[in-house]
Amino acid sequence: MDPAGQDINLNSPNKGLGVDRSESLSDVPVEGAVGNSANPLPPGLTEEEAEELRTELTKVEEEINTLRLVLSAKERHAAELKRKLGLNPLNELKQNLTKSWQEVQTSNAYVRTTEKLGEWNERVTHSDLYLSASATLDDITHSEAYKKTQETLSQAGQKTSAALSTMGTAISRKLGDVRNSATFKSFEDRMGNLKYKVVGPRGNGEAVTTPTDTTPTQENPPF
């Protein structure tokens, strides 16, 4: 190696390495090129076709990156507009749910299911078994036995209500008679006398006199 081509700077990261300007970058293997064992060309694909595909792939990747940048800017702008409109995440969730439900209702699967359920309902309501059961129920509701049973239950309910009302009135009247009877008044008087004996006149708000209050004091007792 030519000493003139060596980097003699001790602080250089290329210290001791030869810097040969005559070497060309064309000697570096390019990924996907002919003769590259890492990514060989598929059978039947020429180098010209592979180069066109690489060029198209590069353009598509650039477009994807551009669209990502545009989408990010649009999302930030939408978030700012929502903030100014006072749309919080909860309201946005409600709107999304409403929109999703509307989309479900207008979807082909929902429409087909609704139509199928309608057909089944139509078949069931027009079937002989359903019509026979409906006719039987109609006959029962219009039969004399059903009417008599309904009238009997109604009369029984009215009689029960009247009996309960009469019994309540009788009980109230009986309690009033007992309270106004001589026995109850005598018992009430006895309870009042017993209270007076136990509590004394203090229970009625009267002042209780003590023996010291009634004993006269002598101003000049004899000696």
Side-chain angles (χ1 to χ4, degrees):
M1 183 177 294
D2 187 5
Q6 293 182 356
D7 190 356
I8 61 175
N9 187 1
L10 298 178
N11 295 325
S12 175
N14 298 323
K15 179 181 65 175
L17 299 178
V19 182
D20 191 358
R21 300 296 181 181
S22 62
E23 295 180 356
S24 177
L25 294 177
S26 61
D27 296 336
V28 179
V30 179
E31 183 179 358
V34 178
N36 188 1
S37 59
N39 293 316
L41 294 176
L45 184 65
T46 63
E47 177 62 23
E48 290 76 8
E49 295 174 348
E51 187 64 27
E52 292 178 359
L53 293 177
R54 295 191 196 99
T55 303
E56 185 178 359
L57 177 60
T58 302
K59 292 180 180 180
V60 172
E61 289 179 347
E62 290 178 354
E63 292 176 357
I64 291 174
N65 292 330
T66 303
L67 292 175
R68 286 176 179 172
L69 295 175
V70 173
L71 179 61
S72 179
K74 293 292 184 181
E75 288 178 348
R76 289 194 299 268
H77 185 57
E80 183 66 18
L81 293 176
K82 290 179 181 179
R83 186 186 65 79
K84 292 181 180 180
L85 291 173
L87 297 177
N88 53 23
L90 182 59
N91 293 334
E92 188 175 358
L93 177 61
K94 291 180 179 179
Q95 292 179 358
N96 292 335
L97 291 176
T98 303
K99 183 179 179 181
S100 300
W101 175 241
Q102 292 176 353
E103 292 176 353
V104 168
Q105 289 180 330
T106 57
S107 63
N108 294 329
Y110 183 86
V111 173
R112 287 196 299 269
T113 303
T114 304
E115 292 177 354
K116 183 63 68 176
L117 290 176
E119 293 177 0
W120 290 348
N121 185 34
E122 188 74 15
R123 291 178 182 177
V124 170
T125 54
H126 288 79
S127 63
D128 295 336
L129 180 61
Y130 182 85
L131 294 175
S132 177
S134 300
T136 303
L137 290 175
D138 188 58
D139 293 339
I140 291 173
T141 54
H142 290 83
S143 63
E144 295 295 332
Y146 180 84
K147 292 180 180 180
K148 290 181 179 180
T149 303
Q150 191 174 15
E151 292 176 358
T152 302
L153 291 176
S154 177
Q155 293 175 1
Q158 294 177 359
K159 290 180 180 180
T160 302
S161 299
L164 291 175
S165 177
T166 303
M167 184 174 63
T169 304
I171 291 173
S172 299
R173 186 180 303 170
K174 190 66 177 177
L175 290 176
D177 295 341
V178 170
R179 186 174 182 84
N180 293 325
S181 64
T183 304
F184 185 83
K185 289 183 178 181
S186 177
F187 176 76
E188 191 176 13
D189 293 338
R190 290 179 183 177
M191 291 300 296
N193 294 332
L194 180 61
K195 179 181 178 182
Y196 181 81
K197 291 179 180 179
V198 174
V199 179
R202 186 179 299 176
N204 297 326
E206 300 177 356
V208 179
T209 59
T210 60
T212 56
D213 295 335
T214 58
T215 303
T217 57
Q218 296 181 0
E219 297 179 356
N220 296 319
F223 294 97

